[in-house]
Amino acid sequence: MPRNRPLIGISAYELPADFSHWRDVPSVLAPAGYPASVARAGGWPVLIPPTDLDPADVLEAIDGLVLVGGADINPALYGQDPHPEALAFSDIRDRAEMSLLRGALELDMPVLGICRGMQLLNIAAGGDLHQHIAEVIPDPATHKAAPGQWARHDVDIVPGCRLSEMLGDRASVVSAHHQAPVEIGRDLTVTATAEDGTVEAVEHVGKRFAVGVLWHPEEDAAGGAPLFAELVEHARAYREVTA
Ligand SMILES: [Mn+2]
C-alpha cells in the first residue's frame, strides 16, 4: 500500500544536550521548526544523524532531503584557510551532509538547502563562500542580529525561477548568517539577492527540485510554508517515479 506522506530526511546536528540530571550528553538534534514545517506541508519528517555510514541505504528510504542550518562549513572544503570569525566546524556533519547531498543530487531527489544547507549546495557544485560578509557589506546586522535573535530583511527574486513561482518577486525573510556564496557552483543559478548584493538563493539547473535559501523558512510559518509545500510535492512525484 502506498504511503500517504512522503518521507523527508532532515540532516541533524550533533551537539551536547542536557537530559534531567545528565549534562552535556552527546546528542542528535534539530530545531523543531524543521520537522514541524515538513509535517505541516504533508511530509513525514525523519531525522538523519551525521554518520560516516554509506548514505545509499537512507537515500533509498526517503523521498526528499532538507539540509538544515548550523555551524560554519570547514573552508578546507572549498580550498580556503579559516577566517578568524569562521567557527565551530563540525567535520562529521560536513562529511555526512556532503555525502547525503551528492547522493541525493545523483538520484535527482528533491533537496531543500537552508542557510548552511544552501552553502553546502554551492560548495558541492564547486562554488565557494565569503567567510565573513561583515567585511564587505554596509550593515551586517541586516543578515545577523544580536546572538539568539533573528534578523528580517527583504530579498529580490529573479522572475521566472522556481522561487518566484512560490514567493513572487520580493519576499521578507528571517535571517541569521554571516557567510554567503561568492563563486557560484556549476549548474547553479542565483535566484535571489539582498539589497546589498548578498546572494540569498540558488537553484540547480536541470534538477527536479534542488533549491537553496540562505534564510530560515522553518522559523517563519507563513512565509516559509510555500517552500516546504513545494519540496513535499516534488518528493511525492519523486516517490511515484522511483517506486
Ligand atoms: Mn540574508
Side-chain angles (χ1 to χ4, degrees), residues 121-240:
L121 204 56
N122 191 43
I123 294 165
D128 69 6
L129 303 177
H130 194 289
Q131 292 188 47
H132 192 55
I133 57 171
E135 291 174 343
V136 291
I137 57 171
D139 182 14
T142 304
H143 302 276
K144 187 165 186 152
Q149 289 176 27
W150 296 103
R152 197 177 251 285
H153 67 78
D154 286 351
V155 293
D156 288 307
I157 300 170
V158 174
C161 67
R162 287 185 182 288
L163 211 51
S164 75
E165 288 164 23
M166 295 177 248
L167 302 176
D169 57 7
R170 197 169 169 89
S172 165
V173 299
V174 170
S175 175
H177 64 98
H178 79 116
Q179 302 190 330
V182 182
E183 281 300 318
I184 304 304
R186 285 177 306 277
D187 301 326
L188 288 183
T189 178
V190 172
T191 53
T193 52
E195 211 160 289
D196 57 20
T198 301
V199 171
E200 290 278 340
V202 292
E203 292 178 20
H204 233 290
V205 179
K207 295 288 178 197
R208 175 192 313 275
F209 181 90
V211 170
V213 297
L214 205 41
W215 63 86
H216 284 272
E218 83 288 358
E219 294 293 335
D220 182 3
L227 268 163
F228 287 99
E230 196 72 6
L231 170 74
V232 169
E233 192 176 311
H234 282 280
R236 217 180 274 284
Y238 172 84
R239 187 186 59 187
E240 307 251 306

Side-chain angles (χ1 to χ4, degrees), residues 24-25 31 37-38 40 44 57 72 104 112 117 137-138 150 174 176 191 202 215 231:
D24 292 331
V25 181
S37 298
V38 165
R40 274 196 300 269
W44 220 113
D57 291 342
D72 293 336
L112 175 59
I137 57 171
W150 296 103
V174 170
T191 53
V202 292
W215 63 86
L231 170 74

